[in-house]
Amino acid sequence: MRAPGRINLIGEHTDYNDGFCLPLAIDRECVVRWEPRTDGLVTASSEQLPGEVALAADGSTDPAGVDPPWGRFVAGALRVLAELRAARGVDLRVASTVPPGSGLSSSSALSVALTFALADAGGLAFPDRRDAARAALAAEVEATGVPGGLMDQLCALFGVAHHAILIDCRSLDVTPVPLPTTHAVVAVHSGVPRTLAGSAYAERRAACEQVAARLGVTSLRDTTPSQVADDPIARHVVAENARVLAFVEALHDGDANALGPLLLASHASLRDDYRVSIPELDLLVQLLVEHGAIGARLTGAGFGGCVVAMVQRNHADDCVAKATREYEARTGIVPSGFVVRAVAAAGPCS
Ligand code: GLA
């Protein structure tokens, strides 16, 4: 079974507030192959990461105690599959081309591929892919303890080639939106690992829930800009939802000029109001724009990892080469940038 990573074009820290986001499934993926075994064990090894795990198939292993850490995802998925009465003994072989710790959802690609592989082995189908997304998220929360939203899993499960997908995180409706052929979507990894991402993520999420509770609404989706004008955290979420819808409208209208300013406004809001950026991400955004990107912003949870940029297609490689060279000269950190392609959702390996 294969599951793609994702890059989020716009709509950051909105998914767990019942808001909107616009990710695309990318041409970096995790593949999990399985072979049956009969002794009630699940073993797993990885082509990229060291170590092996051997766990009871009944989901009885606490993920927190599993070493190597990537094995916690196997334990998390087993817990969820055991609850769905679909766990059985298998040998799992994991291979991934999604760069880890980059904000491109290597974890969700792994948990979706594991969930599909274990379900396949256990004879369980997910007629509604939203249930597969929920199962993979539950597995990931078991593995990491980070209370993530559903964006990454839904993107892996509903991605469409050449399209971004608009997700309404309240209704879980997913609408494919064609990407322009004139512009490339670029990922540039800052080279800074996302060390604070887990703890700060949980804090931000709790802060959003507190504002919603104070205002007497279910989530920040139900608030207006004037209600949250004095609260930077909530202000980001409400403004970001509006930016996602404006971005989708600009894509539909073929109005590329409107896209860049929305990306930059999103980054500024994540930096100044939501406070999940770091100087390296700010510098990368600045350099990409100086070298010709129409816009750029941090993508994923923040505190390191990648920025996403849109660049005129014929200029994309040049822009990335110049921006990354200058970034390295100024910070001493080696970044890596590449053009991404929007691909289809998770499924059996071809
Ligand atoms: C992480 C989470 C997502 C989402 C983003 C921020 O990637 O896994 O659910 O909340 O951060 O937009």
Side-chain angles (χ1 to χ4, degrees), residues 9 162 178-186 247 251 254-260 263 292-295 309-316 339-341:
L9 266 181
H162 311 301
L179 286 164
T181 50
T182 48
H183 289 76
V185 177
V186 167
F247 199 92
L251 286 175
D255 181 8
N257 290 335
L259 301 175
L263 293 174
I294 61 168
M310 287 185 81
V311 195
Q312 272 209 339
R313 195 165 284 282
N314 55 11
H315 185 57
V339 171
V340 295
R341 244 174 358 99

Side-chain angles (χ1 to χ4, degrees), residues 5-348:
R6 65 100 187 94
I7 197 161
N8 189 18
L9 266 181
I10 194 159
E12 217 65 83
H13 290 281
T14 49
D15 63 347
Y16 52 84
N17 289 299
D18 285 349
F20 299 102
C21 53
L22 188 71
L24 47 132
I26 60 171
D27 51 338
R28 304 281 170 129
E29 64 181 19
C30 179
V31 171
V32 176
R33 297 180 195 278
W34 64 271
E35 295 281 345
R37 56 186 290 152
T38 50
D39 59 0
L41 280 182
V42 170
T43 73
S45 59
S46 156
E47 275 175 28
Q48 282 74 33
L49 301 167
E52 279 194 14
V53 286
L55 307 167
D58 62 6
S60 56
T61 311
D62 178 2
V66 176
D67 199 50
W70 65 264
R72 294 174 195 165
F73 289 85
V74 181
L78 276 174
R79 283 223 149 154
V80 172
L81 269 291
E83 269 164 35
L84 297 172
R85 306 203 179 289
R88 61 170 284 195
V90 281
D91 289 321
L92 299 169
R93 185 87 182 128
V94 179
S96 180
T97 56
V98 191
S102 60
L104 300 180
S105 282
S106 58
S107 308
S108 299
L110 174 60
S111 50
V112 170
L114 281 171
T115 301
F116 263 10
L118 290 170
D120 191 33
L124 175 75
F126 288 105
D128 183 345
R129 285 193 157 216
R130 288 169 187 80
D131 292 332
R134 289 189 191 96
L137 173 61
E140 218 171 310
V141 174
E142 287 274 0
T144 63
V146 179
L150 259 183
M151 164 170 72
D152 307 344
Q153 298 77 11
L154 286 171
C155 185
L157 286 153
F158 287 91
V160 176
H162 311 301
H163 291 68
I165 55 167
L166 171 63
I167 306 177
D168 177 334
C169 297
R170 168 162 277 171
S171 65
L172 301 191
D173 282 342
V174 176
T175 313
V177 181
L179 286 164
T181 50
T182 48
H183 289 76
V185 177
V186 167
V188 184
H189 194 328
S190 62
V192 180
R194 302 176 312 146
T195 33
L196 269 177
S199 53
Y201 186 94
E203 277 169 29
R204 296 296 186 284
R205 184 170 182 157
C208 290
E209 284 162 3
Q210 275 159 21
V211 179
R214 183 159 37 85
L215 293 172
V217 293
T218 313
S219 69
L220 291 179
R221 169 77 172 266
D222 302 314
T223 56
T224 59
S226 60
Q227 274 180 300
V228 297
D230 296 333
D231 185 300
I233 293 282
R235 195 161 67 203
H236 162 75
V237 174
V238 175
E240 186 77 350
N241 279 333
R243 278 188 287 270
V244 175
L245 298 181
F247 199 92
V248 169
E249 200 176 315
L251 286 175
H252 279 311
D253 294 348
D255 181 8
N257 290 335
L259 301 175
L262 288 166
L263 293 174
L264 291 170
S266 171
H267 184 77
S269 174
L270 288 159
R271 181 192 60 210
D272 302 335
D273 277 357
Y274 216 68
R275 288 177 291 110
V276 292
S277 190
I278 55 170
E280 289 85 352
L281 293 173
D282 299 341
L283 177 63
L284 260 184
V285 166
Q286 179 200 321
L287 293 174
L288 284 160
V289 171
E290 276 174 23
H291 290 292
I294 61 168
R297 52 178 288 281
L298 73 82
T299 188
F303 293 101
C306 278
V307 304
V308 59
M310 287 185 81
V311 195
Q312 272 209 339
R313 195 165 284 282
N314 55 11
H315 185 57
D317 290 338
D318 185 52
C319 169
V320 171
K322 287 182 172 150
T324 51
R325 204 177 310 135
E326 196 168 336
Y327 175 86
E328 187 174 342
R330 284 168 67 165
T331 62
I333 305 171
V334 183
S336 59
F338 44 92
V339 171
V340 295
R341 244 174 358 99
V343 302

